[in-house]
């Protein structure tokens, strides 16, 4: 068997040959042979020893225990909120029939992961949770449900992992399906975003709202031809990353609008406000003539009146520049934006040193047509929902945890069963089992005769607050020495009282 | 746009044409054209309307809210147990580099789902959680960890969904990696299986244990040639489904053992016992001469002494017929078997009417070589672990729930905010928001003027225990009428006390 150094040498040598041949403009055939030789060397040649690339797939990552502890904390906050609002949960398979996803994502369809055709059905990994949800509703003929779904989705996008953009990532979706009175479920979705971002304690945020009908009405009265609504909508969507001047250039130069039309759009999309803006636009001589815009604006007014009752208007802005990418929205749309991510690295720099903006952390809207695309009879089920952009939130929380002095615990162990003397393994295991049976979270070192110091160190490292120490004397006296790791205080506790004492101390 | 009936007619007609042409042995070209026409009809011809197959991929299923409620309950029991034992958790991506999985599953490799080559890396869906765990350890140079991992794995197997066998299914793995004193972590794994099966309350069960070294030693002293150890091991593994006579036939006829050798194996594999059996076999004139067997039997004795301390020996059987399929085990192996699934349909049939056996619900063992397969320097990390076969447990719990009179709740809503009078939507939303802000789980119907009856019906259907009823009088008096849905009792509660009263009643 070739050893590793030999193999690496072989790879390097063949790599050099490839480069050399290329630089000499060698015949294609020669390069090909050299490449194959390099590949063979990488594969370990005839020696059979395989040189592994020890990594996860591009754009994906493992979660280590610390990251999992943070993830669990974030999920608990989000799930508690969803449950507080009476939501059920469902789950769907990670892959769908390829045709289920076909025609739902427009240009982004190229980012869908397909499975290899190994005989049988053609399958693709889910791209989001909304399309599987719509498929689920149509398939089971469900006409109303309030559900959340937390699961991973897959996109063959360019990963930007430091900014929380992955090829495998979580979505946390909450949706309300059903025919209800206008804007009540829509208002609840916004209330949920508000509650979650508040509880996650990620700093200041605001939620932009708009309505696809207002956008379409606005495009119409500005003179955009009907067939250009969607593409102009996509251009407007770039206003959160581009200056108006550049957006205008794209409208005129790439999308073929006249300057006049673009300028008229420019006036509208600079408008921000609340209920008052909706009222004002209902009086706008042009917009008020457009049926779509009027319907959207009337609903916007109603939405704000409900948001007032929900006490969330301090963070909600009616913003005419909000467009959102997805095609399937039919009514209200919204997006939550964090003002900053984490406090500036050194807090003494003063409040003016803002962190880096991460942008949108939640978004959603109304999509009344999607379920109908799956129903054999085209029956529509009106839906409104929100998706929490959890990966960005994880990134922020992880950065926060790193700068914070507080240690993240990755286990919940309450007590370590230890001993200072030799030959007490059996006694340690017996006590450990007693405590497990009583529901206490216990660890014991897997050593016959561990040193007391290494047992205490394990507690320090993993944050276990208590040690139950057994010795010959304690066994004779029917007690256990309970030690507080932080304060180093020790007290003898009668064995019969140990469970209660541990519970009391680790509430 | 063509309507559905027309389309189906077109599909049918073209289908018939295909069949007719085939039966007439028409030219291939004709059949091809007809097939294309059929496909075109299925795709909706020129009308653009697509006829969907509305289903999930073969061997997969959605979880509806009721199934999710059961799943959550099962997971909570399992996770609590893992945490009680001080485990951390990790997560890995759903797909791995194809080569990471290569050479780990023997013949079963054909069941691996590959992703389509869309440029870039070659990927496969994970087949279990053990190989990704080993990859994770090697990649991060982790030499000791106690972790659990609950996630879905993928196998292109023949699904048997009524018996809980799917192509996408959950595994719940708990593993202890690290160099420790013999059999202590191994005993903890068995303790965990015991605790979980007890708490899940699935009826009687037993856990078979054996050791690969004992098996190998036994094969050696029976006269099995070394190169046949693994294949004979696979045949022994069938003893839980086949009679000895058939297993023997396979050994002799298919695997080429002599009848003598098979009979000698037959004697050993019929042995069952506890610590005493291990002691007895250590005195066995033949086995005691085999180094491997002796090491395994000595450890088995030690294991039982720890299991005694953990008070689980009542369910553990040392069974020489236990072999397990996977190649990578190197020491102790175990498997938990339920005696029966659910009580016989009608309980009055008496205790003798046993349910249907589901077989193995948990299994695992020691695999000291797997991490070394990933480490560039071949460094070994000894591991022992257990995997809970959660899908079978789900199936049993679902069947139990269906035969039980108790209703499974799919939400946790404590109270519905309702009103008997019209025009109180705003007041309902205001109170709802107040309660959400106080952490109460509340629903409100999304209707301007819902009937009281339909509000009460919603509570009955979904199991909401309380209704907070608002009316003109209550608003004037500063109270809310709190109704117990089950008893129909109503009492006026001062608005300021409402949160406490709801909390008290829904502890």
């Amino acid at each position: 068997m070739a050893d590793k150094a030999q193999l690496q040498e072989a790879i390097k040598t063949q790599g050099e040959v490839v480069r050399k041949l290329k630089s000499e403009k060698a015949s294609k055939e020669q390069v090909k042979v050299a490449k194959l030789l390099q590949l063979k060397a990488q594969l370990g040649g005839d020696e059979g020893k395989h040189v592994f690339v020890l990594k996860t797939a591009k754009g994906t990552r493992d979660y280590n225990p610390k990251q999992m502890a943070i993830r669990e904390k974030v999920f608990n906050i989000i799930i508690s909120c969803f449950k507080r609002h009476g939501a059920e949960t469902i789950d769907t398979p990670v892959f769908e029939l390829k045709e289920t996803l076909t025609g739902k994502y427009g240009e982004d369809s190229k980012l869908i992961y397909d499975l290899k055709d190994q005989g049988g059905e053609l399958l693709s990994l889910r791209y989001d949770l909304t399309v599987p949800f719509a498929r689920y509703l149509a398939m089971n003929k469900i006409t109303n449900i309030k559900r959340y779904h937390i699961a991973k989705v897959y996109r063959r996008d360019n990963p930007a992992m430091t900014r929380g953009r992955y090829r495998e990532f979580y979505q946390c979706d909450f949706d309300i399906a059903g025919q209800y009175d206008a804007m009540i479920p829509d208002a609840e979705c916004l209330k949920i975003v508000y509650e979650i971002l508040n509880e996650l304690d990620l700093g200041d945020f605001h939620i932009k709202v708009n309505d696809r009908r207002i956008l379409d009405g606005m495009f119409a009265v500005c003179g955009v031809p009907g067939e250009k609504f969607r593409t102009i909508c996509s251009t407007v969507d770039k206003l959160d990353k581009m200056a108006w001047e550049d957006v205008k250039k794209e409208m005129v130069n790439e999308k073929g609008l006249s300057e006049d039309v673009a300028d008229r759009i420019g006036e509208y999309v600079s408008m921000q406000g609340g209920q008052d803006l909706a009222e004002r636009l209902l009086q706008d001589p042009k917009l008020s003539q457009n049926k779509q815009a009027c319907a959207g604006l009337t609903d916007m007014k109603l939405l704000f009146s409900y948001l007032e009752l929900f006490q969330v208007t301090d963070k909600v802005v009616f913003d005419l520049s909000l467009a959102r990418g997805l095609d399937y929205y039919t009514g209200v749309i919204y997006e939550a934006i964090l003002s900053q991510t984490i406090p500036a690295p050194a807090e003494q720099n003063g409040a003016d040193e803002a962190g880096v903006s991460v942008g949108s952390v939640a978004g959603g809207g109304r999509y009344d047509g999607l379920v109908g695309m799956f129903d054999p009879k085209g029956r529509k089920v009106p839906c409104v929902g929100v998706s929490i952009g959890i990966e960005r939130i994880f990134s922020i929380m992880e950065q926060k945890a790193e700068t914070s002095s507080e240690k993240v615990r990755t286990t919940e162990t309450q007590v370590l069963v230890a001993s200072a003397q030799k030959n007490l393994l059996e006694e340690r295991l017996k006590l450990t089992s007693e405590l497990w049976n009583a529901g206490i979270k216990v660890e014991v070192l897997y050593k016959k005769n561990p040193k007391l110091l290494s047992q205490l160190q394990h507690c320090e490292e993993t944050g276990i607050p208590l040690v139950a120490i057994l010795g010959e004397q304690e066994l004779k006296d029917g007690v256990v020495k309970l030690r507080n790791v932080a304060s180093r205080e020790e007290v003898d506790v009668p064995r019969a009282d140990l469970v209660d004492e541990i519970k009391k101390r680790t509430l």
Side-chain angles (χ1 to χ4, degrees), chain A residues 349-499:
Chain A
N349 285 352
D352 286 323
E353 295 283 322
V356 192
S357 169
V358 276
S360 164
V361 288
R366 179 162 281 284
Y367 51 101
D368 289 348
L370 191 60
V371 179
M373 289 176 74
F374 289 103
D375 190 278
K377 291 187 181 151
R379 275 170 302 214
K380 284 188 177 181
V381 178
C383 292
V384 63
V386 61
S387 185
I388 311 288
I390 204 68
E391 300 293 339
R392 287 183 178 184
I393 292 170
F394 288 155
S395 292
I396 297 166
M397 303 286 272
E398 278 174 43
Q399 285 170 49
K400 244 182 160 176
E402 258 167 46
T403 53
S404 151
S405 57
E406 215 182 309
K407 228 179 142 179
V408 179
R409 280 199 71 182
T410 58
T411 66
E412 297 177 8
T413 309
Q414 296 165 289
V415 60
L416 180 83
V417 171
S419 83
Q421 293 153 323
K422 288 203 167 187
N423 304 320
L424 287 174
L425 173 64
E426 277 78 9
E427 291 296 341
R428 281 193 288 130
L429 293 183
K430 219 169 124 186
L431 178 58
T432 301
S433 183
E434 265 176 50
L435 295 175
W436 279 332
N437 293 348
I440 304 288
K441 294 166 188 152
V442 198
E443 283 179 60
V444 61
L445 292 200
Y446 305 127
K447 294 258 169 205
K448 273 188 193 156
N449 297 306
K451 288 181 189 141
L452 186 61
L453 189 66
S454 57
Q455 295 174 87
L456 294 175
Q457 264 172 352
H458 178 73
C459 294
E460 301 268 8
E461 279 161 17
T462 62
I464 300 174
L466 298 173
V467 194
I469 303 173
L470 283 174
E472 297 292 354
Q473 193 57 48
E474 284 81 11
L475 287 168
K476 223 174 277 169
D477 298 347
V479 298
V480 172
K481 203 178 279 305
L482 196 60
R483 179 186 170 111
N484 179 315
V485 176
S487 71
R488 299 180 184 188
E489 279 171 295
E490 291 183 349
V491 56
D492 280 353
V493 178
R495 189 125 169 182
D497 302 343
L498 185 61
V499 168

Side-chain angles (χ1 to χ4, degrees), chain A residues 235-236 239 242-251 259 261-267 269-270:
Chain A
T235 306
V236 169
L239 272 172
M242 276 160 64
W244 164 249
E245 280 312 311
D246 298 318
V247 168
K248 185 183 160 183
K249 251 182 225 159
E250 184 175 313
M251 286 180 179
E259 262 210 50
V261 172
D263 282 338
R264 263 173 262 150
I265 294 174
E267 261 171 60
V269 296
S270 67

Side-chain angles (χ1 to χ4, degrees), chain A residues 18-31:
Chain A
V18 171
R19 277 188 296 279
K20 201 149 170 262
L21 286 173
K22 274 191 177 166
S23 72
E24 289 166 8
K25 294 186 195 279
S27 79
K28 275 183 187 169
E29 211 47 45
Q30 269 179 297
V31 177

Side-chain angles (χ1 to χ4, degrees), chain A residues 174-271:
Chain A
F174 172 96
D175 294 82
I176 301 171
Q179 186 69 58
Y180 299 117
D181 283 331
M183 306 318 281
I184 314 177
D186 315 59
E188 186 170 8
C189 288
L190 290 167
K191 171 80 172 158
I192 280 174
V193 175
Y194 185 99
E195 286 181 9
I196 288 174
L197 293 183
N198 247 337
E199 280 181 71
L200 286 173
D201 197 19
L202 302 167
D204 200 25
F205 66 90
H206 61 279
I207 308 170
K208 293 181 187 175
V209 293
N210 198 4
D211 192 299
R212 273 286 162 88
R213 294 166 298 172
I214 298 174
L215 279 168
D216 285 354
M218 176 184 92
F219 292 144
V221 304
C222 290
V224 179
E227 73 277 9
K228 288 191 177 169
F229 280 9
R230 285 284 75 78
T231 181
I232 293 301
C233 195
S234 299
T235 306
V236 169
D237 193 40
K238 296 179 183 170
L239 272 172
D240 58 342
K241 282 165 206 141
M242 276 160 64
W244 164 249
E245 280 312 311
D246 298 318
V247 168
K248 185 183 160 183
K249 251 182 225 159
E250 184 175 313
M251 286 180 179
V252 176
N253 300 342
E254 291 176 36
K255 307 284 168 90
L257 289 193
S258 76
E259 262 210 50
D260 271 9
V261 172
D263 282 338
R264 263 173 262 150
I265 294 174
E267 261 171 60
Y268 282 116
V269 296
S270 67
M271 293 179 187

